[in-house]
Amino acid sequence: MFKNAIIYRLPAPWAITAEDLSRYLAPQAFTPLGGLDMQCMGWMRPREDGMLVHQVNRQFLLRLQIEKKILPSSVINQVTRERAKELEEQQGFPPGRKQTKELKEQITDELLPRAFTRLSGMWIWIDPVNGWLVADSSTPAKAEDALKLLFKAVPKFPLEPVRTVMHPGAAMTDWLASDEAPDSFTVDQDTELRSTAESKATVRYVRHTLEANQIRQHIETGKQCTRLALTWADKISFTLADNLSIKKIALLDVLKEDVGAIGKNEDERFDGNFLLFSGEMSKLLADLIAAVGGEVMNRSAETTPC
């Protein structure tokens, strides 16, 4: 269901119900853009006939909807230049900086109601049993949009970043240097190594066999792994980044067979797919955190969290 995973920590277990969370989110329900608004976002029901929080076996699924108007600056500038020429002819001299700025703002307001809009969304999975919140976002910055709404909506929202004993980049570099993946994982054929020096020299392998000797040479010259393709338990392949974000999540054949056998109607398949995904991903995340040395539970710990 998710292609990406930005991972956060919640208390385990987190004593909140889907009904209570839906009630907190209700004031932030998605409303389509107004005439002069550039962007809006809010929560949508994952299923049309359900609540804002869809629950399957104590696993929660949320859907953030984002609507943005597409009004290129080149169009605004072009119309502004045309209007400025007309204004110059009328008043006998070109408009000054302040007048041009006001003209540009006026034109933006005129064009906004006619601008095209683009809809996008983000899935949020909350596992209150094992204490995970995962955003299907390609970057942490985009995930922050959803988190800001949650912090505003939920009283004392107990979310924290994941802090690990080893920095993920250092851990991945160790795996490559030793040519040995941690338990339950295998190393695939994509990786990126970047120099820690000012040059930031970077080497990328894409669908290429990772020769241990070549990789060690790069590491010995001061490069560290920033991205590594992995497979977990022969079930899920993904790419791990040095900020602990996950991309290119893909179910492998053994799980695809399970997906194909789920449910007879759309609702059953949706719930079954979500239950399968959340169950396997919870195990994957636990193994991944163990592979980077476990979590730093006390911020005053001597180890440096990522």
Side-chain angles (χ1 to χ4, degrees), residues 172-230:
M172 292 189 293
T173 303
D174 285 351
W175 304 339
L176 290 175
S178 64
D179 195 22
E180 185 176 351
D183 291 344
S184 301
F185 294 92
T186 54
V187 173
D188 296 333
Q189 293 187 318
D190 289 16
T191 191
E192 177 183 277
L193 298 107
R194 183 177 302 160
S195 174
T196 55
E198 187 175 348
S199 66
K200 301 296 182 184
T202 303
V203 176
R204 294 186 181 93
Y205 289 80
V206 180
R207 293 187 295 276
H208 193 289
T209 301
L210 305 183
E211 298 291 346
N213 291 336
Q214 293 180 4
I215 295 296
R216 289 193 191 100
Q217 289 177 5
H218 289 303
I219 294 171
E220 289 170 0
T221 60
K223 292 185 179 68
Q224 188 173 59
C225 184
T226 56
R227 190 177 61 192
L228 184 62
L230 297 164

Side-chain angles (χ1 to χ4, degrees), residues 155-286:
K156 298 181 179 179
F157 189 45
L159 192 72
E160 292 186 357
V162 179
R163 297 175 172 84
T164 57
V165 172
M166 292 185 67
H167 188 284
M172 292 189 293
T173 303
D174 285 351
W175 304 339
L176 290 175
S178 64
D179 195 22
E180 185 176 351
D183 291 344
S184 301
F185 294 92
T186 54
V187 173
D188 296 333
Q189 293 187 318
D190 289 16
T191 191
E192 177 183 277
L193 298 107
R194 183 177 302 160
S195 174
T196 55
E198 187 175 348
S199 66
K200 301 296 182 184
T202 303
V203 176
R204 294 186 181 93
Y205 289 80
V206 180
R207 293 187 295 276
H208 193 289
T209 301
L210 305 183
E211 298 291 346
N213 291 336
Q214 293 180 4
I215 295 296
R216 289 193 191 100
Q217 289 177 5
H218 289 303
I219 294 171
E220 289 170 0
T221 60
K223 292 185 179 68
Q224 188 173 59
C225 184
T226 56
R227 190 177 61 192
L228 184 62
L230 297 164
T231 293
W232 170 77
D234 295 326
K235 294 181 179 181
I236 299 175
S237 66
F238 62 96
T239 298
L240 178 66
D242 59 356
N243 62 357
L244 206 64
S245 65
I246 297 174
K247 298 182 180 181
K248 298 182 180 179
I249 298 172
L251 304 185
L252 301 185
D253 289 344
V254 65
L255 287 186
K256 286 182 179 179
E257 293 175 1
D258 293 339
V259 170
I262 290 174
K264 297 181 179 179
N265 59 52
E266 183 180 351
D267 288 337
E268 289 178 351
R269 287 193 296 270
F270 186 90
D271 287 354
N273 287 340
F274 176 49
L275 190 59
L276 176 66
F277 167 82
S278 59
E280 297 298 336
M281 279 297 294
S282 288
K283 299 173 189 174
L284 186 158
L285 293 178

Side-chain angles (χ1 to χ4, degrees), residues 21-306:
L21 187 53
S22 292
R23 178 168 50 83
Y24 290 139
L25 300 182
Q28 299 175 344
F30 177 76
T31 303
L33 273 172
L36 298 179
D37 296 325
M38 282 295 295
Q39 177 176 305
C40 69
M41 63 179 67
W43 302 105
M44 293 279 289
R45 297 174 179 175
R47 307 301 290 164
E48 289 185 5
D49 58 348
M51 301 187 300
L52 289 176
V53 178
H54 185 69
Q55 176 178 325
V56 183
N57 194 28
R58 281 292 290 163
Q59 301 295 302
F60 300 163
L61 187 65
L62 286 64
R63 176 73 175 175
L64 181 68
Q65 185 86 333
I66 304 165
E67 185 177 14
K68 182 183 294 187
K69 286 194 174 176
I70 304 171
L71 186 56
S73 58
S74 58
V75 174
I76 297 173
N77 292 336
Q78 178 183 341
V79 178
T80 300
R81 287 193 296 268
E82 293 171 357
R83 294 279 184 88
K85 288 181 180 178
E86 295 174 1
L87 191 59
E88 181 178 354
E89 293 174 359
Q90 294 173 8
Q91 63 189 17
F93 56 89
R97 182 179 298 177
K98 181 180 179 181
Q99 196 174 17
T100 301
K101 180 182 178 183
E102 293 173 349
L103 184 61
K104 192 172 184 177
E105 292 173 351
Q106 176 187 335
I107 289 167
T108 301
D109 290 344
E110 290 177 6
L111 294 177
L112 269 176
R114 292 181 282 159
F116 290 107
T117 61
R118 179 173 60 197
L119 286 172
S120 61
M122 183 190 306
W123 292 107
I124 305 291
W125 161 46
I126 295 177
D127 178 357
V129 177
N130 298 295
W132 299 110
L133 183 147
V134 176
D136 185 5
S137 172
S138 58
T139 65
K142 292 181 179 179
E144 290 292 328
D145 292 335
L147 298 187
K148 288 175 184 176
L149 289 182
L150 287 170
F151 275 111
K152 288 180 181 178
V154 182
K156 298 181 179 179
F157 189 45
L159 192 72
E160 292 186 357
V162 179
R163 297 175 172 84
T164 57
V165 172
M166 292 185 67
H167 188 284
M172 292 189 293
T173 303
D174 285 351
W175 304 339
L176 290 175
S178 64
D179 195 22
E180 185 176 351
D183 291 344
S184 301
F185 294 92
T186 54
V187 173
D188 296 333
Q189 293 187 318
D190 289 16
T191 191
E192 177 183 277
L193 298 107
R194 183 177 302 160
S195 174
T196 55
E198 187 175 348
S199 66
K200 301 296 182 184
T202 303
V203 176
R204 294 186 181 93
Y205 289 80
V206 180
R207 293 187 295 276
H208 193 289
T209 301
L210 305 183
E211 298 291 346
N213 291 336
Q214 293 180 4
I215 295 296
R216 289 193 191 100
Q217 289 177 5
H218 289 303
I219 294 171
E220 289 170 0
T221 60
K223 292 185 179 68
Q224 188 173 59
C225 184
T226 56
R227 190 177 61 192
L228 184 62
L230 297 164
T231 293
W232 170 77
D234 295 326
K235 294 181 179 181
I236 299 175
S237 66
F238 62 96
T239 298
L240 178 66
D242 59 356
N243 62 357
L244 206 64
S245 65
I246 297 174
K247 298 182 180 181
K248 298 182 180 179
I249 298 172
L251 304 185
L252 301 185
D253 289 344
V254 65
L255 287 186
K256 286 182 179 179
E257 293 175 1
D258 293 339
V259 170
I262 290 174
K264 297 181 179 179
N265 59 52
E266 183 180 351
D267 288 337
E268 289 178 351
R269 287 193 296 270
F270 186 90
D271 287 354
N273 287 340
F274 176 49
L275 190 59
L276 176 66
F277 167 82
S278 59
E280 297 298 336
M281 279 297 294
S282 288
K283 299 173 189 174
L284 186 158
L285 293 178
D287 286 349
L288 180 60
I289 296 302
V292 291
E295 290 183 76
V296 176
M297 305 307 293
N298 187 339
R299 296 188 182 186
S300 62
E302 294 181 0
T303 51
T304 302
C306 67

